[in-house]
Amino acid sequence: MSTTATGLFTFRPLDPLKDAELLHGWVTHPKAAFWMMQDARLEDVERAYMDIAADEHHHALLGLDQDGEPAFLMEKYDPAHRELVGLYEPRPGDVGMHFLTPATDRPVHGFTRSVITAVMAHLFEDPATRRVVVEPDVSNKAVHALNEAVGFVPERAIQKPEKEALLSFCTRERFFEIQRSAAATGVAV
């Protein structure tokens, strides 16, 4: 198992069988409605993530906190082969991304923004990644604000089979420019 570190978090590949129970609680929680697994059984979660583990174009990772405890879920995919096939013209270096922070009774201010920043930094650690592509539900205003904070620019609404989505892009240059600006002004991102 390889683990990489990005800022406050480390990443490790998700183990569909060992991590399914944890994920089941995360993806079926009412606050995870946009994950679209509200009615999933434990077996459904295992199967879904076993399918991802077997897919060369889709990968699931757990983000771990400083104590090594699972803190969030991240998926990356090749949009030329998954999720967005036929919905836009992919470029070399495009990587699709999803992330999920679990619901908590003790929210930490800035946590989700730290997560998306770490996810983006992790994706851009690969020099082949030129641009990150996301397709959140058009009505998910909270994630649109987070996406904008790290550099995503909405392009247009697209119709996916399961939702109307806001196709958005963040280039490597834009992400790192926002990080530099935030560091220069002392704003945490």
Side-chain angles (χ1 to χ4, degrees):
M1 166 177 57
S2 67
T3 302
T4 60
T6 305
L8 302 173
F9 302 105
T10 56
F11 293 83
R12 73 157 170 85
L14 180 107
D15 182 321
L17 296 177
K18 279 185 17 184
D19 298 322
E21 192 170 331
L22 171 73
L23 284 183
H24 181 260
W26 290 2
V27 302
T28 59
H29 191 280
K31 290 185 178 178
F34 289 112
W35 208 255
M36 295 180 284
M37 293 186 80
Q38 299 289 269
D39 298 322
R41 296 169 301 148
L42 178 60
E43 301 80 30
D44 300 327
V45 173
E46 286 176 352
R47 190 173 307 110
Y49 284 93
M50 287 178 77
D51 289 347
I52 290 172
D55 188 335
E56 67 180 299
H57 301 292
H58 197 164
H59 307 282
L61 304 167
L62 279 180
L64 309 176
D65 66 17
Q66 293 176 325
D67 296 324
E69 295 298 317
F72 61 91
L73 172 65
M74 170 194 161
E75 295 180 13
K76 62 181 179 176
Y77 64 89
D78 181 343
H81 298 276
R82 299 291 173 266
E83 295 284 336
L84 293 169
V85 176
L87 296 174
Y88 91 108
E89 190 61 42
R91 296 181 189 168
D94 278 0
V95 174
M97 178 270 289
H98 301 132
F99 78 99
L100 175 68
T101 56
T104 179
D105 294 334
R106 297 181 310 263
V108 175
H109 180 74
F111 175 75
T112 307
R113 189 160 173 175
S114 295
V115 165
I116 192 172
T117 301
V119 165
M120 295 294 287
H122 179 74
L123 292 170
F124 285 126
E125 283 177 356
D126 181 347
T129 301
R130 301 299 313 148
R131 186 170 74 156
V132 178
V133 183
V134 293
E135 26 67 43
D137 191 292
V138 294
S139 64
N140 191 344
K141 303 300 183 199
V143 86
H144 298 314
L146 286 166
N147 287 344
E148 183 181 330
V150 294
F152 280 95
V153 176
E155 182 173 286
R156 61 187 161 89
I158 58 172
Q159 189 60 55
K160 294 185 67 190
E162 73 280 12
K163 66 184 177 185
E164 184 178 9
L166 184 61
L167 183 65
S168 303
F169 301 94
C170 181
T171 63
R172 170 184 296 276
E173 296 76 18
R174 182 160 170 77
F175 173 72
F176 286 112
E177 176 58 34
I178 286 175
Q179 297 309 300
R180 283 189 295 275
S181 293
T185 60
V187 174
V189 292

